[in-house]
């Protein structure tokens, strides 16, 4: 009985949350539906997208399929390779996966905007992102930008909720999806130095989480290239 009551209470809490923030969920749902409806318009696999797919195949086949480019980060290839490994059409489901990440970017933009500013600003920000031609067009091409942006937004959201270790781990995931996301981490660390000068422990947690996330990647680089910073 208690389990049923707890389950019912959680469901009611979820429904209240959705009703309270219904505008953003409508925006996210419309974005997702439109992108899925237009997915057939993406007929060509871009070179970089093909490389990420090839790297994923290379990883999961232990070098028996695909190709390897040592200058690229590995999180997106790992995701695409997993889809291929379990037997899915990697092009179709890779596009769908990126659309899911794009939808989550819109949602995170809303929750971050709501926390930092207010609900009206958050709704406008999520609408502007969803309607951005660049953001809309690149959702479904299977490049690493949108996926890495999701991890950076998740890191910022965790940071705002004072989950500094988790924030660092997400920053590490963002970095291993696209190296340029490192500048988001640097910006956050600089902000903590300016506005939270006495919170050294929080900065250390972020850095520790980041190092913890990327350490296996650095070890792999050392094993493969005899240089942990090779890429």
């Amino acid at each position: 009985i208690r389990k049923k009551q707890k389950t019912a209470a959680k469901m009611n809490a979820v429904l209240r949350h959705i009703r309270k923030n219904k505008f953003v969920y409508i925006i996210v749902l419309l974005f997702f539906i439109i992108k899925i409806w237009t997915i057939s318009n993406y007929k060509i696999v871009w070179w970089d997208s093909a490389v990420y797919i090839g790297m994923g195949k290379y990883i999961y086949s232990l070098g028996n399929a695909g190709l390897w480019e040592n200058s690229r980060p590995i999180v997106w290839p790992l995701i695409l390779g997993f889809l291929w490994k379990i037997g899915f059409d990697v092009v179709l489901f890779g596009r769908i996966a990126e659309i899911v990440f794009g939808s989550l970017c819109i949602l995170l933009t809303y929750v971050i905007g709501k926390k930092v500013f207010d609900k009206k600003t958050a709704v406008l920000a999520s609408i502007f992102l969803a309607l951005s031609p660049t953001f809309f067009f690149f959702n479904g091409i299977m490049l690493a930008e949108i996926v890495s942006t999701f991890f950076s937004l998740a890191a910022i959201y965790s940071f705002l909720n004072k989950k500094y270790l988790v924030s660092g781990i997400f920053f590490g995931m963002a970095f291993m999806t696209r190296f340029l996301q490192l500048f988001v981490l640097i910006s956050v660390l600089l902000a903590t130095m300016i506005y939270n000068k006495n919170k050294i422990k929080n900065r250390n947690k972020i850095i520790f989480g980041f190092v913890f996330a990327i350490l296996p990647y650095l070890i792999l680089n050392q094993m493969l290239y005899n240089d942990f910073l090779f890429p």
Side-chain angles (χ1 to χ4, degrees):
I1 294 174
R2 288 180 180 177
K3 287 183 178 180
K4 289 182 179 180
Q5 290 175 339
K6 288 181 179 179
T7 302
K10 288 180 180 178
M11 288 297 297
N12 289 332
V14 170
L15 291 173
R16 284 196 301 270
H17 171 78
I18 293 174
R19 283 195 294 266
K20 191 176 180 181
N21 302 281
K22 60 183 177 182
F23 290 110
V24 71
Y25 286 106
I26 291 172
I27 293 166
V28 171
L29 183 61
L30 287 174
F31 175 85
F32 183 80
I33 291 172
I34 292 170
K35 288 303 302 181
I36 294 297
W37 183 50
T38 59
I39 201 170
S40 59
N41 293 333
Y42 295 95
K43 301 182 184 301
I44 299 173
V45 177
W46 288 23
W47 170 252
D48 290 59
S49 306
V51 171
Y52 290 129
I53 293 172
M55 289 176 66
K57 291 181 178 181
Y58 191 94
I59 293 169
Y60 286 95
S61 68
L62 300 178
N64 293 318
L67 56 89
W68 184 255
E69 283 196 8
N70 53 33
S71 62
R72 298 177 186 266
I74 62 171
V75 168
W76 189 221
L78 282 170
I79 295 172
L80 293 174
F82 177 75
L83 295 173
W84 169 77
K85 185 67 176 178
I86 61 178
F88 287 171
D89 181 336
V90 67
V91 174
L92 175 60
F93 283 90
R95 296 190 195 282
I96 293 173
E98 188 180 16
I99 292 169
V100 171
F101 279 110
S103 301
L104 292 173
C105 283
I106 297 171
L107 183 60
L108 282 171
T109 297
Y110 171 80
V111 295
I112 291 170
K114 186 179 177 183
K115 190 169 186 66
V116 176
F117 300 103
D118 53 53
K119 187 175 181 179
K120 181 179 178 180
T121 303
V123 171
L124 287 174
S126 60
I127 291 173
F128 288 152
L129 179 61
L131 296 180
S132 165
T134 303
F135 182 79
F136 189 88
F137 173 74
F138 277 91
N139 262 278
I141 292 180
M142 291 185 295
L143 299 178
E145 282 80 357
I146 288 172
V147 181
S148 63
T149 299
F150 161 76
F151 287 120
S152 283
L153 288 171
I156 293 170
Y157 178 71
S158 300
F159 171 76
L160 293 173
N161 284 282
K162 299 181 179 181
K163 297 178 181 180
Y164 301 109
L165 183 62
V166 175
S167 178
I169 292 172
F170 275 125
F171 275 128
M173 295 292 291
F175 172 74
M176 290 191 297
T177 309
R178 191 167 188 261
F179 292 136
L180 289 176
Q181 294 290 349
L182 179 66
F183 289 106
V184 184
L185 169 63
I186 293 172
S187 300
V188 169
L189 292 177
L190 287 175
T192 60
M193 291 177 187
I194 295 171
Y195 298 107
N196 296 284
K197 295 179 180 179
N198 299 322
K199 301 294 185 179
I200 298 175
K201 184 185 294 185
N202 296 339
R203 287 197 296 274
N204 289 343
K205 286 181 180 180
I206 295 172
I207 294 170
F208 178 80
F210 176 79
V211 173
F212 177 78
I214 70 170
L215 188 59
Y217 179 63
L218 298 180
I219 293 172
L220 179 64
N221 290 334
Q222 185 66 33
M223 293 171 60
L224 293 176
Y225 316 117
N226 203 30
D227 181 357
F228 70 96
L229 291 177
F230 179 77

